[in-house]
């Protein structure tokens, strides 16, 4: 899969994308990432890429021509590349969006700065606007990195031959269960006995219950989307009863 990132700050991408899992995925040719400096497509000799907003107001707006020329240059190699603008006004990004985007062979990611881009960029060149959360970043670059990371995890082979993002617990709409590794005792804090039992079905049951407990207390909204079995529903009832008892002051 190929990602082209249109940005005024291409250097921001060099280190984060070259480390660890994404770095290996690039080395192995599973993903290709190219940055395109929008400034290289400015029309004048001073390479101006922004201007004051029509109608007045604070800040600067990214000009339409350099962005248009940058997008056209990338799309001349592949006219059907799916073009995304990262903006807090976009559709909220989630695991499902990441999975769907991973089926695109080529994504073009436009990163805005300042007060954003001239509206005509969106009207004429953008297929989809995406937000990574309800907060405002200084630009779309970090949002693009988040998107690339989450999407790449769905590409076969990126997580290794025996793992896939389809198996992530979030993919099943539940939060992950607690994980432990050695030492057994850290400053007096131990680990749940069941994990040492070697009893795989007891361990699976404990993990499922803890995933349900965590989701129910931290993200109850996810439970409505989750595909809960009859056994899950029973476990949830047990969890809620246990919580009630604990609130009433009996810890048993
Ligand atoms: N650019 C600035 N803030 C952003 C956000 N929350 N999501 C996507 N792009 C952005």
């Amino acid at each position: 899969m190929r990602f082209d990132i249109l940005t005024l700050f291409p250097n921001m991408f060099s280190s984060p994308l070259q480390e660890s899992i994404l770095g290996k995925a690039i080395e192995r040719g599973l993903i290709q990432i190219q940055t395109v400096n929008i400034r290289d497509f400015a029309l004048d000799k001073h390479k101006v890429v922004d201007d004051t907003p029509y109608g007045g107001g604070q800040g600067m707006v990214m000009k339409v021509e350099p962005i248009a020329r940058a997008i056209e240059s990338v799309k001349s190699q592949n006219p059907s590349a799916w073009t995304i603008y990262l903006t807090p006004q976009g559709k909220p990004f989630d695991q499902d969006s990441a999975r769907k985007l991973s089926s695109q062979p080529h994504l073009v990611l436009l990163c805005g700065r300042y007060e954003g881009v001239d509206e005509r960029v969106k009207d004429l060149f953008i297929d989809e606007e995406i937000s990574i959360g309800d907060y405002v970043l200084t630009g779309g670059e970090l949002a693009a990195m988040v998107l690339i990371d989450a999407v790449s995890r769905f590409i076969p082979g990126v997580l290794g031959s025996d793992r896939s993002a389809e198996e992530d617990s979030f993919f099943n709409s539940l939060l992950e269960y607690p994980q432990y590794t050695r030492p057994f005792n850290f400053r007096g804090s131990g680990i749940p006995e069941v994990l040492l039992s070697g009893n795989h079905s007891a361990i699976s049951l404990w993990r499922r219950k803890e995933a349900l407990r965590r989701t129910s207390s931290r993200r109850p909204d996810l439970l409505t989307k989750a595909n809960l079995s009859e056994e899950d529903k029973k476990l949830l009832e047990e969890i809620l009863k246990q919580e009630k008892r604990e609130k009433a002051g009996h810890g048993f």
Side-chain angles (χ1 to χ4, degrees), residues 85-90 110-113 130-144:
Y85 174 50
L86 284 314
T87 164
Q89 295 163 43
L110 172 63
C111 306
R113 281 271 152 175
I130 290 183
S131 161
I132 62 155
D134 288 338
Y135 39 79
V136 182
L137 302 166
T138 51
E141 284 78 6
L142 289 171

Side-chain angles (χ1 to χ4, degrees), residues 166-211:
E166 310 273 349
E167 286 158 21
D168 287 347
S169 70
F170 213 94
F171 195 73
N172 304 313
S173 295
L174 290 186
L175 301 185
E176 201 59 80
Y177 51 79
Q179 296 272 25
Y180 299 89
T181 187
R182 278 175 282 215
F184 171 71
N185 183 328
F186 177 69
R187 300 180 185 173
S189 178
I191 70 158
E193 281 292 328
V194 64
L195 300 179
L196 298 172
S197 68
N199 180 340
H200 297 298
S201 65
I203 293 172
S204 293
L205 187 67
W206 180 84
R207 286 182 165 163
R208 187 74 187 170
K209 189 168 180 181
E210 293 313 306

Side-chain angles (χ1 to χ4, degrees), residues 42-54:
L43 292 167
D44 64 310
K45 71 170 194 247
H46 298 294
K47 301 282 174 201
V48 173
V49 289
D50 58 344
D51 204 343
T52 52
Y54 272 120

Side-chain angles (χ1 to χ4, degrees), residues 42-193:
L43 292 167
D44 64 310
K45 71 170 194 247
H46 298 294
K47 301 282 174 201
V48 173
V49 289
D50 58 344
D51 204 343
T52 52
Y54 272 120
Q58 273 194 349
M60 299 293 270
V61 176
M62 284 175 74
K63 289 165 71 62
V64 62
E65 303 100 315
I67 297 176
R69 296 175 70 221
I71 293 179
E72 281 164 350
S73 124
V74 169
K75 290 191 71 166
S76 66
Q77 297 151 39
N78 178 10
S80 61
W82 188 251
T83 307
I84 295 170
Y85 174 50
L86 284 314
T87 164
Q89 295 163 43
K91 175 172 170 265
F93 185 63
D94 60 14
Q95 187 74 342
D96 201 38
S97 334
R99 185 181 55 78
K100 284 186 185 137
L101 287 176
S102 72
S103 65
Q104 291 280 352
H106 187 178
L107 293 181
V108 179
L109 305 174
L110 172 63
C111 306
R113 281 271 152 175
Y114 320 118
E115 301 307 310
V117 299
D118 186 305
E119 194 65 21
R120 291 166 292 184
V121 169
K122 305 182 204 170
D123 297 343
L124 300 173
F125 301 100
I126 298 298
D127 296 311
E128 189 176 9
E129 294 180 41
I130 290 183
S131 161
I132 62 155
D134 288 338
Y135 39 79
V136 182
L137 302 166
T138 51
E141 284 78 6
L142 289 171
M145 288 183 218
V146 166
L147 185 147
I148 291 171
D149 192 296
V151 169
S152 298
R153 295 179 77 259
F154 280 98
I155 295 168
V158 165
L159 295 181
S161 54
D162 54 346
R163 271 205 67 199
S164 136
E166 310 273 349
E167 286 158 21
D168 287 347
S169 70
F170 213 94
F171 195 73
N172 304 313
S173 295
L174 290 186
L175 301 185
E176 201 59 80
Y177 51 79
Q179 296 272 25
Y180 299 89
T181 187
R182 278 175 282 215
F184 171 71
N185 183 328
F186 177 69
R187 300 180 185 173
S189 178
I191 70 158
E193 281 292 328

